[in-house]
């Protein structure tokens, strides 16, 4: 379970997400940065009854600080 990611300015990191239990229908997992000025994410994930155990990748990108 990943609760935080550390990366350099302009760098990227990736991790996989899957559900622990099968949902009865589609479920959207919101993926967001705690501070969008420091990092952005690849967006929300949607899982359904047929793919809940399949990892979906999230990419986190560190933003470039203006100099």
């Amino acid at each position: 379970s990943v609760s935080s990611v550390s990366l350099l300015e302009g760098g990227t990191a990736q991790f996989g997400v899957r559900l622990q239990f099968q949902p009865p229908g589609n479920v959207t997992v919101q993926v967001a940065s705690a501070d969008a000025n420091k990092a952005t994410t690849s967006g929300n994930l949607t899982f359904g009854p047929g793919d809940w155990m399949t990892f979906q990748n999230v990419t986190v990108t560190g933003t470039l600080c203006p100099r």
Side-chain angles (χ1 to χ4, degrees), residues 1 5 18 20 23 37 39 43 52 61 63:
S1 145
V5 174
R18 68 178 178 179
Q20 187 173 3
N37 292 318
W52 63 279
T61 304
T63 57

Side-chain angles (χ1 to χ4, degrees), residues 16-29 45-49 51-56:
V17 176
R18 68 178 178 179
L19 300 181
Q20 187 173 3
F21 301 103
Q22 182 177 8
N26 285 347
V27 174
T28 299
V29 176
L45 306 173
T46 300
F47 294 92
D51 67 354
W52 63 279
M53 287 184 61
T54 303
F55 280 100
Q56 294 187 35

